[in-house]
Amino acid sequence: MGYFLGAYAASANVSGWDAQLEADYYRGLAGLAEVKGLEHPFLGQLHQHDDAWFLQHLAPHWDYVFTTIPGVMNALATQPGFGLASTDPAGRQAALDFMQAARQAILKLNQHLGRQAVKAIMLHTAPARDKVAGSAACFMASMQQLLSWDWQGAQLLVEHCDAYLPPQLPSKGFLSLSDELAVLSQLKQQGAAPVGVVINWGRSVFEGRDPAAAIAHIQAAKDAGLLAGLMFSGVSGEDSAYGAWRDSHQPIRNTQAPELGSACSWLTEQEVAAALKAASPVEHLTVLGLKIGVRPVTATVAERLTLLQAQLQILTQQQALITSISPVNGSI
């Protein structure tokens, strides 16, 4: 069925910009049959370094899901009140201006490709509430404004990040999933254009410190009729090259080829299967995919592509297994 790949997290350009290195990487990505499109990072313009380079190196068949989290985190580093849920008026306006720039980038990409290539944009309920207050009411006001703009058919989806749960030290510390679902449910009742929630496995587990938290979040979004996506990204409480309790996109633990995974990741093949089953039928999701980081950071482009291929195969295998035992297919 094909997946969206957050390929930017596995790029060899971990610092600076090497256009040739990235071109080699994109050439390899285009050869990954399981990839139907990219989860594309938005940091203020279409491509962080070079719009023209980006447009030149796209595979013609790819679709796109924009993610605003890299730009949001950059903004929060200098303006703690930045965010669509911010109670700080200047910070909320800055977030709306940022989203307007994202809308222009979507238009630019669609115009270049001559089609509606951007299927969704994933937005986030900043600010970090251990630093500046955020509220559901402010997020509602922002969403109402965003929904009045022309998004070229792209769905507005909230990617849930770990909520602020003191005394736990947050990674993101944004609104709770219950607040996000309450706002989106109200918008849906008001007849808003399609809205929904994307559950990132690793970020939900980071919040709950338990793999069961991801399943609970999937079920809550599904019960609200708002589950629109599922992204697989691992996390672990064990210290490793990926760090303990860090949103560093650990790979799935790989029992067949341990070197092509993360030995301490809480995201196992069994957890992938459980999440896919909880989210079923996944064919109806706008976003389904994988975002992983690569260690060591000195890994070559070829090594990165080999790891991505192995990780995508795990996802494909587990999805095939879930599909084969589904009662819809007449099996038990």
Side-chain angles (χ1 to χ4, degrees), residues 250-276:
Q250 283 194 38
I252 305 164
R253 191 182 303 185
N254 191 335
T255 57
Q256 300 298 316
E259 72 281 6
L260 296 177
S262 172
C264 64
S265 178
W266 284 18
L267 182 55
T268 64
E269 291 146 322
Q270 293 75 22
E271 293 296 344
V272 169
L276 288 169

Side-chain angles (χ1 to χ4, degrees), residues 81-267:
F82 178 96
L84 295 174
S86 183
T87 58
D88 170 32
R92 193 169 75 84
Q93 185 58 53
L96 288 168
D97 293 343
F98 174 76
M99 292 300 294
Q100 184 65 257
R103 192 181 72 84
Q104 293 300 323
I106 288 173
L107 175 62
K108 184 174 184 176
L109 181 53
N110 283 343
Q111 286 180 334
H112 173 79
L113 295 172
R115 60 187 177 90
Q116 185 208 329
V118 182
K119 303 304 179 185
I121 179 167
M122 296 192 296
L123 47 89
H124 304 83
T125 58
R129 293 189 299 126
D130 58 326
K131 296 181 174 65
V132 175
S135 74
C138 288
F139 181 53
M140 169 66 83
S142 293
M143 283 297 297
Q144 288 172 330
Q145 188 161 348
L146 293 180
L147 286 164
S148 72
W149 301 347
D150 179 7
W151 289 93
Q152 296 275 301
Q155 283 186 262
L156 298 184
L157 305 179
V158 175
E159 182 185 34
H160 178 66
C161 295
D162 66 286
Y164 178 46
L165 299 174
Q168 183 172 290
L169 184 67
S171 172
K172 304 297 187 289
F174 297 166
L175 290 186
S176 67
L177 179 63
S178 59
D179 278 347
E180 292 166 349
L181 291 174
V183 169
L184 296 180
S185 293
Q186 187 174 343
L187 289 168
K188 190 175 178 182
Q189 290 170 3
Q190 293 171 357
V195 292
V197 166
V198 176
I199 300 301
N200 179 301
W201 193 94
R203 288 171 180 158
S204 288
V205 172
F206 184 102
E207 177 180 319
R209 297 297 200 263
D210 186 341
I215 304 301
H217 283 180
I218 291 168
Q219 194 60 57
K222 196 173 181 181
D223 289 346
L226 289 166
L227 182 65
L230 175 61
M231 286 295 290
F232 287 99
S233 187
V235 71
S236 173
E238 182 178 332
D239 198 16
S240 71
Y242 291 92
W245 293 123
R246 289 189 58 203
D247 187 13
S248 55
H249 317 303
Q250 283 194 38
I252 305 164
R253 191 182 303 185
N254 191 335
T255 57
Q256 300 298 316
E259 72 281 6
L260 296 177
S262 172
C264 64
S265 178
W266 284 18
L267 182 55

